[in-house]
Amino acid sequence: MYIINIDKSMTIKEKNEQRETPYLDAYSKYLKEQTTVFDVPGHHQGKIRTDFDHIFGHIVYKNDVNCPRGMDNLLHPTGAIKEAQEIFAKACHADFCKFLVNGSTSGNLIMIMSAVKANEKIIMPRNVHKSAINALILSGAKPVFIMPEVDKATEIVNQPTYKEWKKAIDENPDAKAIFIINPTYFGATCDLKKVVRYAHLHNISVLVDEAHGTHFYFSNKLPITAMDAGADMATLSIHKTGGSLTQSSVLLLKGERISMYEVNKSFNLITTTSPSSILLASLDAARKFLVFKGSRYIYNAIKLARQAKERINKIPGFIAHSKDYFVSNCDAYSYDETKLCVEIDKLSISGFELYKLLKDKYKVQIELAETYVFLLLFTIGSEQKDVDRIVETLKEISDMYYDPSITYLENKHFIDGFPTMKIRPRVAFHAPLKVSSLDDALNKISKEMIMIYPPGIPIIVPGEVFTKQVIDEIKHYSNIKATILSDWNNINEVSVVDEENRDYFKGENAQD
């Protein structure tokens, strides 16, 4: 029995509609029919046996179907998918919803490609996810990067202030869109409603990367959502904090500022013609769960995070930060309390070493780690035993590695800024290639993104110039064995633009 515990303003008709699961029902009906198949996928609902069965049994194969008759088509929905998307949109106070099966990566690509074209400006914080940079390459848009706030204690890159957003909009009145990360990977949010209002006053569309904010839509104890703030588009990773399966996300739209034709065009370009029915069904089911049970489960996650913070702060070597810290110290407007950022203090191991130790020795998997901080996520799936486990584990690690004589100040790797962009990412991406050693890359234009993953924020992107700080930063992360993503397996080699052919860059200046 589902218990209503969110949005008491819903009418009986609206509540009944939210109880429906059109796609899940069509999926279940098809599977029960035991149809003789001559279509893809080629295993024909499990007519073969592989070692995959050793993990899941045979049920995954039996339930893995493509787009058979009666289950609609994701690229041109007219039936069950269309109905499921419409119900999802209403649950999020949006006008339209599109299901995504390639994560919020595809949502970010679609949003940016829908809103801006080649040589048009889009304002965005420099700490965007790599997918936003890829969207610049595909669209040919010209980014106007603004510098987010950086916390010196934890080295976390947070939100730009409203003042920075206003300044960027005032200086670029010809911008077609702004792209906001809300919340950031670590949970910081901006004054979203105020930023949206100011952008719209200047006829600028607002796109929100809400990948880590799905749960905001189903709890009144968390920051405002993109749709309630009046944003034009948002992408949500339902799988991250909403209970659907990995890769399943949604794209939300509101208003008429962005052409639905442009959205459909970009969606059809990016989206697979063979979407997983399992992923689509999980979206339909997760939405119903969140509408009727989400509020209670999310509040439980918040309580567990608060408890964990209190207990971890009693362990030498660890300082747990939440809403009070980010609002007071990091210029965040608000904060997602289901996230717990834990600073490492006077430990003889780094965050990266701690990350590996937790998994390899204690079988505890945390979301991410950086040099002096790590992140714990509390979600609708979190339980009391999880809090007890991480607390007891950190106590044991403290006993082994805490040293009150340690000071980090001389070792802190401060981020003073990001490199200068010389040409658009799209131009750099297609420019002639030259392979360079990392040391010889100084003052050369990058053709590639190089980043630490997670969280996937690029140290340098195509079109930016290698500086000594960038080179030192890459070396720093390489020395401490962080996971570095680049186009080469050997980080000592990087892709730079061969600038001998000057005609290739005629008229290309990212600062124009």
Side-chain angles (χ1 to χ4, degrees):
M1 175 69 179
Y2 281 90
I3 301 171
I4 301 290
N5 59 9
I6 187 172
D7 199 353
K8 293 182 174 61
S9 65
M10 281 198 299
T11 66
I12 293 176
K13 181 181 178 181
E14 288 169 336
K15 291 175 183 177
N16 288 337
E17 185 177 39
Q18 289 298 326
R19 287 190 175 93
E20 296 176 5
T21 50
Y23 187 80
L24 193 63
D25 293 347
Y27 184 37
S28 178
K29 180 176 181 292
Y30 180 84
L31 294 175
K32 289 176 181 176
E33 291 173 345
Q34 297 185 338
T35 304
T36 299
V37 297
F38 292 93
D39 64 348
V40 294
H43 58 71
H44 282 185
Q45 290 187 261
K47 299 301 191 299
I48 62 169
R49 298 275 177 174
T50 72
D51 289 350
F52 190 73
D53 293 7
H54 299 163
I55 300 175
F56 294 104
H58 212 54
I59 191 168
V60 176
Y61 278 117
K62 287 184 176 295
N63 294 333
D64 181 38
V65 297
N66 193 358
C67 301
R69 177 170 170 75
M71 288 182 59
D72 211 355
N73 187 301
L74 184 60
L75 297 180
H76 183 60
T78 58
I81 293 177
K82 181 176 183 290
E83 292 175 27
Q85 290 180 158
E86 288 172 349
I87 296 173
F88 211 123
K90 290 176 182 177
C92 296
H93 303 163
D95 293 336
F96 300 98
C97 169
K98 284 185 172 292
F99 287 174
L100 307 174
V101 291
N102 193 30
S104 286
T105 288
S106 62
N108 285 340
L109 294 175
I110 293 163
M111 287 197 299
I112 292 175
M113 292 172 65
S114 301
V116 285
K117 297 180 174 59
N119 287 304
E120 292 181 341
K121 289 182 182 177
I122 180 170
I123 303 169
M124 57 175 59
R126 179 52 180 76
N127 58 322
V128 292
H129 186 264
K130 67 187 292 287
S131 58
I133 304 300
N134 287 335
L136 297 176
I137 293 170
L138 290 172
S139 68
K142 184 182 293 186
V144 176
F145 288 127
I146 56 178
M147 184 63 185
E149 296 296 308
V150 179
D151 177 36
K152 299 296 185 183
T154 60
E155 298 184 350
I156 293 174
V157 183
N158 291 296
Q159 290 278 1
T161 62
Y162 170 73
K163 183 179 177 181
E164 288 298 318
W165 280 111
K166 184 177 183 298
K167 180 174 180 287
I169 291 170
D170 289 342
E171 291 176 353
N172 298 275
D174 55 339
K176 298 297 182 181
I178 65 173
F179 183 89
I180 303 173
I181 312 163
N182 201 75
T184 63
Y185 207 138
F186 282 92
T189 65
C190 65
D191 191 347
L192 189 58
K193 197 167 187 177
K194 196 172 181 180
V195 176
V196 170
R197 186 185 301 118
Y198 197 75
H200 283 174
L201 281 174
H202 291 75
N203 199 31
I204 295 175
S205 299
V206 180
L207 319 176
V208 183
D209 179 349
E210 219 169 11
H212 295 271
T214 291
H215 50 309
F216 289 12
Y217 286 85
F218 304 96
S219 172
N220 59 11
K221 299 185 181 300
L222 293 171
I224 192 171
T225 69
M227 292 295 100
D228 285 345
D232 302 287
M233 298 181 73
T235 185
L236 282 65
S237 290
I238 309 300
H239 68 94
K240 282 185 168 70
T241 58
S244 66
L245 296 179
T246 295
Q247 286 185 221
S248 57
S249 301
V250 300
L251 182 67
L252 301 177
L253 301 91
K254 193 167 191 174
E256 300 179 354
R257 197 177 297 272
I258 297 176
S259 163
M260 197 66 194
Y261 168 76
E262 294 295 336
V263 174
N264 287 332
K265 185 171 67 173
S266 299
F267 180 85
N268 290 338
L269 180 68
I270 295 298
T271 304
T272 176
T273 55
S274 301
S276 166
S277 294
I278 298 174
L279 298 185
L280 296 175
S282 78
L283 285 171
D284 206 14
R287 184 266 312 153
K288 180 178 178 179
F289 177 91
L290 290 168
V291 168
F292 293 104
K293 291 188 174 182
S295 180
R296 175 157 52 91
Y297 278 75
I298 293 165
Y299 183 51
N300 181 64
I302 293 172
K303 290 193 296 183
L304 290 176
R306 289 172 178 171
Q307 180 199 137
K309 175 186 174 183
E310 183 178 345
R311 294 172 66 182
I312 290 172
N313 277 332
K314 295 176 181 178
I315 305 172
F318 301 101
I319 307 171
H321 299 307
S322 190
K323 183 175 181 177
D324 52 349
Y325 179 86
F326 280 85
V327 171
S328 301
N329 296 67
C330 306
D331 287 321
Y333 179 74
S334 190
Y335 186 76
D336 173 9
E337 283 196 88
T338 67
K339 294 178 174 63
L340 192 60
C341 172
V342 184
E343 182 181 352
I344 292 173
D345 180 47
K346 300 183 183 301
L347 290 186
S348 58
I349 57 174
S350 71
F352 296 109
E353 292 170 310
L354 177 68
Y355 179 94
K356 296 171 184 175
L357 179 65
L358 283 169
K359 176 59 176 66
D360 295 346
K361 181 175 180 178
Y362 297 98
K363 306 303 181 239
V364 173
Q365 180 66 59
I366 60 176
E367 175 61 17
L368 68 82
E370 299 206 11
T371 310
Y372 301 105
V373 73
F374 62 93
L375 182 66
L376 304 177
L377 299 189
F378 294 83
T379 72
I380 57 176
S382 296
E383 299 176 336
Q384 179 63 50
K385 65 180 181 179
D386 302 327
V387 177
D388 297 339
R389 175 69 172 153
I390 188 65
V391 168
E392 292 308 311
T393 299
L394 294 181
K395 283 180 180 178
E396 189 170 323
I397 291 173
S398 172
D399 290 341
M400 290 188 290
Y401 297 101
Y402 179 69
D403 182 350
S405 68
I406 291 177
T407 176
Y408 292 143
L409 188 59
E410 67 271 19
N411 298 321
K412 286 282 185 179
H413 192 69
F414 296 129
I415 300 172
D416 295 323
F418 287 98
T420 300
M421 179 159 284
K422 191 169 183 180
I423 57 177
R424 286 180 298 145
R426 180 184 179 91
V427 174
F429 182 84
H430 289 294
L433 166 70
K434 185 175 182 180
V435 179
S436 170
S437 69
L438 183 59
D439 286 323
D440 289 341
L442 184 65
N443 298 325
K444 292 183 171 64
I445 302 171
S446 179
K447 270 185 62 67
E448 64 177 314
M449 272 185 281
I450 300 175
M451 72 200 73
I452 310 304
Y453 193 85
I457 299 168
I459 297 172
I460 191 167
V461 305
E464 289 182 335
V465 178
F466 278 96
T467 62
K468 184 178 184 301
Q469 177 181 310
V470 168
I471 294 171
D472 289 345
E473 193 170 349
I474 294 170
K475 288 181 177 179
H476 166 75
Y477 284 115
S478 178
N479 290 336
I480 62 176
K481 309 299 182 185
T483 300
I484 301 175
L485 301 185
S486 70
D487 290 346
W488 301 95
N489 291 328
N490 179 3
I491 196 58
N492 292 318
E493 290 184 334
V494 294
S495 304
V496 298
V497 171
D498 185 350
E499 298 184 61
E500 292 183 8
N501 183 0
R502 299 305 306 166
D503 289 339
Y504 192 87
F505 309 106
K506 188 176 182 180
E508 281 297 332
N509 185 335
Q511 303 307 309
D512 286 346

